[in-house]
Amino acid sequence: MVEAAGVDQALWQHALSALGAQADLMPEGQDSSDVRHRFDRHFPDLYRLFHALYGSRPDFQEQLTALVLQTARSWNDRPAELKALDAERERNSGWFLSNNMLGGVCYVDRYAEDLDGVRARIPYFKELGLTYLHLMPLFLAPEPHSDGGYAVSSYRDVNPKLGTMEQLRDLAAELRANGISLVVDFIFNHTSDEHEWARRAAAGDPEFSDYYWIYPDRTMPDAFEQNVREIFPDDHPGSFIEMPDGRWVWATFHTFQWDLNYSNPDVFRAMAGEMLFLANQGVDILRMDAVAFIWKRLGTPCENLPEAHTLLQAFNAVCRLAAPSLLFKSEAIVHPDEVALYIDPAECQLSYNPLQMALIWEAMATRDVSLLAQALERRHNIPAGTSWVNYVRSHDDIGWTFADEDAAELGINGFDHRRFLNSFYVNRFPGSFARGVPFQDNPRTGDCRISGTTASLCGLEDGTGQAVDRILLAHSVAFSTGGIPLLYLGDEVGQLNDYGYALEEGHGTDSRWVHRPHYPGERYAKRHDRTTPEGAVFEGLRTLLSVRAATPEFAGTRLVPFTTNNRGVLGYQRPGEGSLVLALANFSDSHQSITAQTLSGFAAGAVDIVTGSPVALSDGITLRPQEFIWLRVTPALG
Ligand code: GLC
Ligand code: GLC
């Protein structure tokens, strides 16, 4: 029996007896005691969180009871194989912190035509060493405009062009059998305007109108828009769009993506149902899309509100009851203080690391690692039992999300610096090597972000040598600072921008498609030939990845800063159990030295863990342009 503080015992009894009354929900034997055990352990959290969100409503008790029943029903439906996985991961809860973890992300259609095509690429995924595969949104979506699938018309139907739910289940099982976790998006901030709920809302059904933020006139939209940022200003100004019947509906992103109204508990329960459905198909990790936007309150920017955290924790508590091994990955591309707040074992165990991503590019442009070093020092370490997902670029644009306060401490003006970075990466700055294109260039606010593949941003179109070195340098940081490295598949063979993107139906106005090319088959064919840029990148990355997998210090995320006393060279230490790896990375275009004095905290004899060669620190270290080195070191005695 639960005795946790704050739990209304009568309510809990009510929920339990409702559970007990449903004989089919309380199976006999071991499974039944597992259910009771988990409810005893996690119900207090769910109660507290759900109460915080909806406790003031007269129907709170019915809502909670319905949620509990729904959760128990979902557990009942969970396949035995997944329950076994739950048990295994309960015993080994840090499985995702291993230095063997490696992620890849791709669009099903662009990379492999369909789900069967993805299945056929499993041997390649194993060659690469993937343990985590993020398939971009693969659900039913409007045509041709779906924001790359981020407008979902049904969470229970796979886009028929890609396959069926049954194929997704089979794929999940086959990936699992090959040691690869399946990651899909949980796009829970909005649905497409073609979703059944949206259609009903559009038809005037009051029950479903309450699923969204719909108002009869501009009064409330105007009031909200006083404080709300524009996300896709190229698409539409403000946050609301007019419906055919003259009402206004909230659409943060595109006009066809309508924001769900979580102040309505029916929406929470409906989406919890969709979430558990996905979990029971064999999805291991949900990428929680656009978490910053999920709660709105008048008079606020409607981003990163405290209730957004409560809501995520409540979804998480639902998982602990009915799909205990499921993990959440936060997609919060916001101020680094806010990014950090989503990272918690009880909220999102994983998070994109957008700051590190952006600052890798920043350091590459400036040839100065100060901001990146500062970020590693003050913003890298996160709670035990959580992990970063480190990436060089994603399917989205690169936004310069560093904190202006951090930059100011280094004498950098954030606004001017972003302008410089934007002009550098779109090749308007003299001497730039980058071939990016602008995304959502907003002359009114001066805001702009960057699209481009890793290789194009590193200048591979213009010449190979330094560009390949830059590609490897950028990845070396993502592979070794701590967290799951995530490759945008195709980048490991140096895929270039797709300048024809605008010709594809529905893509013309969204420059992010420039960096979402089709499967670069010709490049893959050359991946083992080190004399080609494809091979140099691929084999270079493969070497780093196998070193990473063999280096226990790279497990987890703990990082100890290291001051190199050289603005061109990034340094950081990764402590293991009684051992230490020191990483040094030269972001400048000239040779750079780290003096013996700077390295004097370490014993003179170090080992380069990539080449296996001994390195004498007593002479200091000189790195070539874009060179990095991973050294196993020992603290100097005395
Ligand atoms: C996320 C996705 C992005 C999409 C947006 C709206 O930021 O990464 O691609 O446009 O959410 O769903
Ligand atoms: C994300 C980010 C924004 C990005 C957009 C989609 O949530 O906030 O920077 O551009 O959605 O690309």
Side-chain angles (χ1 to χ4, degrees), residues 290-522:
V291 292
F293 301 94
I294 56 180
W295 196 271
K296 338 272 193 210
R297 195 182 337 118
L298 193 62
T300 74
C302 298
E303 271 186 68
N304 304 307
L305 295 181
E307 292 87 345
H309 296 282
T310 314
L311 192 66
L312 280 162
Q313 289 167 22
F315 276 124
N316 196 38
V318 167
C319 291
R320 300 288 74 81
L321 291 173
S325 60
L326 192 74
L327 297 180
F328 288 174
K329 173 171 80 160
S330 148
E331 190 245 349
I333 315 299
V334 290
H335 188 289
D337 287 345
E338 300 290 352
V339 173
L341 293 178
Y342 293 95
I343 309 173
D344 188 293
E347 194 167 325
C348 294
Q349 300 80 10
L350 299 168
S351 169
Y352 279 109
N353 193 348
L355 180 64
Q356 175 174 298
M357 183 276 293
L359 293 182
I360 288 172
W361 294 107
E362 188 271 347
M364 199 116 76
T366 58
R367 282 80 161 172
D368 183 326
V369 303
S370 307
L371 263 176
L372 180 53
Q374 183 204 49
L376 288 180
E377 185 178 333
R378 69 172 60 157
R379 299 191 181 275
H380 183 82
N381 285 318
I382 50 177
T386 67
S387 179
W388 290 115
V389 172
N390 290 324
Y391 59 117
V392 170
R393 65 96 166 188
S394 70
H395 70 288
D396 278 333
D397 44 294
I398 298 171
W400 309 108
T401 57
F402 58 83
D404 283 12
E405 321 74 275
D406 290 357
E409 279 179 40
L410 298 169
I412 298 167
N413 173 300
F415 184 82
D416 294 346
H417 202 50
R418 288 188 184 88
R419 281 189 38 173
F420 157 72
L421 292 166
N422 284 325
S423 86
F424 186 91
Y425 279 105
V426 301
N427 203 273
R428 277 185 219 132
F429 195 83
S432 167
F433 50 77
R435 289 271 178 274
V437 298
F439 178 66
Q440 303 290 333
D441 197 349
N442 189 339
R444 215 161 40 72
T445 57
D447 183 38
C448 175
R449 285 104 81 187
I450 298 296
S451 296
T453 66
T454 302
S456 290
L457 294 177
C458 286
L460 193 64
E461 267 124 336
D462 292 343
T464 53
Q466 262 191 312
V468 169
D469 291 344
R470 284 189 200 105
I471 295 170
L472 297 177
L473 173 69
H475 284 92
S476 80
V477 176
F479 290 179
S480 64
T481 47
I484 304 174
L486 177 61
L487 294 169
Y488 188 97
L489 292 172
D491 277 14
E492 76 280 19
V493 290
Q495 73 190 335
L496 299 173
N497 283 348
D498 172 7
Y499 295 105
Y501 77 89
L503 300 175
E504 280 186 67
E505 204 186 4
H507 296 177
T509 56
D510 186 338
S511 78
R512 291 174 298 172
W513 289 102
V514 83
H515 59 231
R516 301 168 179 173
H518 289 273
Y519 181 79
E522 285 172 21

Side-chain angles (χ1 to χ4, degrees), residues 107 136 147 150-151 185 187 190 232 253-254 257 287 289-290 331 333 395-396 512 516:
Y107 286 89
M136 295 297 292
D147 190 19
Y150 280 97
D185 283 84
I187 300 149
H190 43 265
F232 284 173
F253 295 93
H254 292 96
Q257 289 163 301
R287 172 193 181 276
D289 185 58
E331 190 245 349
I333 315 299
H395 70 288
D396 278 333
R512 291 174 298 172
R516 301 168 179 173

